[in-house]
Amino acid sequence: MSSQDILKNASTLASYNVLLQVMFRVLTFLLNAFTLRFVSKELIGVVNVRLTLLYSTLVFLSREAFRRACLSGESGGNRNWRQVINLIWLTVPLGVLWAFLLGCVWLWLLEVPDAHNVPYYGPAVVLFAISGVQELLAEPLWVLAQSHMFVRLKVVAESLAMIVKCSVTVVLVVFAREWGLYIFSAAHLLYTGCLMLCYAVYFIRFLGSKEAVKKSFPLHHVADLLPHRTDGEPLVDRTLARLTWSFFKQSFLKQILTEGERYVMTFLNVLSFGDQGVYDIVNNLGSMVARFIFLPIEESFYIFFAKVLERGRDIRSQKQEEIAIAAEVLECLLKLVLVIGLIITVFGYAYSHLALDIYGGSLLSSGEGPSLLRYYSCYVLLLAVNGVTECFVFAAMSQGEVDKYNLVMLALSVSFLFLSYMLTWWAGGVGFILANCLNMGLRILHSLLYIHRYFQLSQWKPLRGLLPSPLLLLALAVSAVVTSVSEVVLCCDSGWLFRLVHIAVGGVCLLLVLVTILFTESHLVQFVRTQLLPRYKKKHK
């Protein structure tokens, strides 16, 4: 597969993933708004922070390293898939081990919520751990699908699973509110079960079919999906196993950085369960656009960079046409996420209070909720840039460089935990966001230095993507001033007519910014049209 074909597939995958994340976030957004009217904020805090942290930790530590290693290197048709599948199946016993260890911690070492306000905590811990192991059963199928760019499978599977989860949650919240945590545990168990079932049904029908033969798919029978040894071959690829171990050591540190505030809240009790619920809702609301766009782009273009670049090799010893494509894509991605991040920062500041008031009423808009969302709008900008820079760096690093970076991640993890604890005591929930901003800035700095050194001896300068046009910066500055004044004058205690005028002011300013982008960032607009909008591309072929 040529680099152009890989780019096309990665772009299509990113587009589908964006649509998937939009649906997920919209459903979660509506579900949270609905459950806020029926259950206590303490219950939401335990589910969204404590139990979700158990699930995400179990799944991340069990599979992240395997995913990164197995999606690196050679293209899907040129590798020994028998050894890859044997390796990826190790996620299941590893997941069982983590489920037992983490379950013991969550049940016996952490503070147990009050049974009257948050009933059935113990069974919920067990069910969330089981759901994590259940999802890992589909991991070999997920890796096969991602490596061979089965872009629609992930969208359909996760869409159906999410619809099932939301439907069950709504029904049980309305008709069986006394079930407490059983409601969310059952819904999550059905979510992972539906996800696993969709992948299993697809591959059972696909293997041996005419479509599989046409695509030269390396596996032919359902039995090939199960682990077994081939005579004369090692059970797993030792090089891939060593790379997995390197990523595995790094996964501990990355998980702490990713979910650091939840670990601090869970293990250090710096916020009550009710405050944790409010913080998590604001956090999810603030990260909606980031999850809509930035995460799918990062996941999809990591695959592109991993396939186009030869890991650990000097830029001069690689195919120059592929390096050129990688540099151009990196520059455009940096410009894209920077522009989106700046827009979110500018308009997020002036519309945080209004958004929370509409979404959750005085429960969210009073207190520090608006301040949390304003700070988070600034954090999204850093989150956007970091996602793309690390996406490239992790695809280009050699195994030795990955091991060295583990030390950097260790230092960042320790500093983040310390800063989170200190800043939270000083500034409450805002302290978590400030600590995230500081650590994200350091991660970006490290990645930028690596990218600068990587392209230093070449003609390509992809970091120019971080330099938007002066006219665009002026349009953003004007919009920031106008919308801030509009919020003070018109929002948010003067009735709906003034609120609508405030929204209209923001709409006009946003239109000004978008028009400026069209006229000053033509290269970026062309990249989005040709690579991230497959429908547009098909229409104009």
Side-chain angles (χ1 to χ4, degrees), residues 399-415:
Q399 182 182 332
E401 289 171 327
V402 171
D403 289 334
K404 290 179 181 178
Y405 188 61
N406 290 339
L407 299 176
V408 176
M409 295 283 279
L410 176 61
L412 289 173
S413 301
V414 172
S415 65

Side-chain angles (χ1 to χ4, degrees), residues 16 69 110 168 180 270 390 399 520:
Y16 279 115
L110 298 180
V168 170
V270 293
E390 285 196 347
Q399 182 182 332
T520 62

Side-chain angles (χ1 to χ4, degrees), residues 15-176:
S15 302
Y16 279 115
N17 279 342
V18 167
L19 295 176
L20 183 65
Q21 290 295 329
V22 167
M23 189 201 74
F24 272 24
R25 290 298 107 189
V26 169
L27 286 176
T28 304
F29 176 83
L30 296 175
L31 185 64
N32 282 337
F34 178 81
T35 54
L36 275 171
R37 273 73 178 172
F38 290 88
V39 300
S40 66
K41 62 181 181 180
E42 286 79 14
L43 190 68
I44 292 177
V46 172
V47 172
N48 290 358
V49 177
R50 178 75 66 88
L51 295 178
T52 301
L53 181 64
L54 168 65
Y55 163 78
S56 64
T57 302
L58 189 161
V59 171
F60 189 91
L61 294 181
S62 300
R63 75 186 182 190
E64 177 68 13
F66 293 89
R67 282 186 171 187
R68 285 197 174 274
C70 292
L71 291 175
S72 301
E74 299 176 357
S75 60
N78 298 325
R79 59 171 47 187
N80 188 328
W81 275 104
R82 165 53 39 219
Q83 293 179 335
V84 172
I85 289 174
N86 288 342
L87 180 65
I88 203 70
W89 269 110
L90 292 176
T91 58
V92 176
L94 186 60
V96 172
L97 176 62
W98 279 120
F100 174 76
L101 294 176
L102 294 173
C104 290
V105 172
W106 258 246
L107 287 172
W108 295 309
L109 296 183
L110 298 180
E111 176 190 358
V112 177
D114 179 63
H116 177 73
N117 294 325
V118 186
Y120 310 115
Y121 172 74
V125 169
V126 175
L127 290 175
F128 265 80
I130 291 174
S131 70
V133 175
Q134 182 173 248
E135 184 172 344
L136 293 174
L137 293 173
E139 194 60 22
L141 308 182
W142 186 93
V143 170
L144 280 168
Q146 288 291 104
S147 183
H148 291 85
M149 298 292 182
F150 293 172
V151 293
R152 292 179 180 84
L153 173 58
K154 180 180 178 181
V155 174
V156 173
E158 296 194 12
S159 300
L160 289 176
M162 192 64 182
I163 291 171
V164 168
K165 177 182 177 180
C166 290
S167 302
V168 170
T169 302
V170 168
V171 171
L172 294 181
V173 162
V174 173
F175 296 105

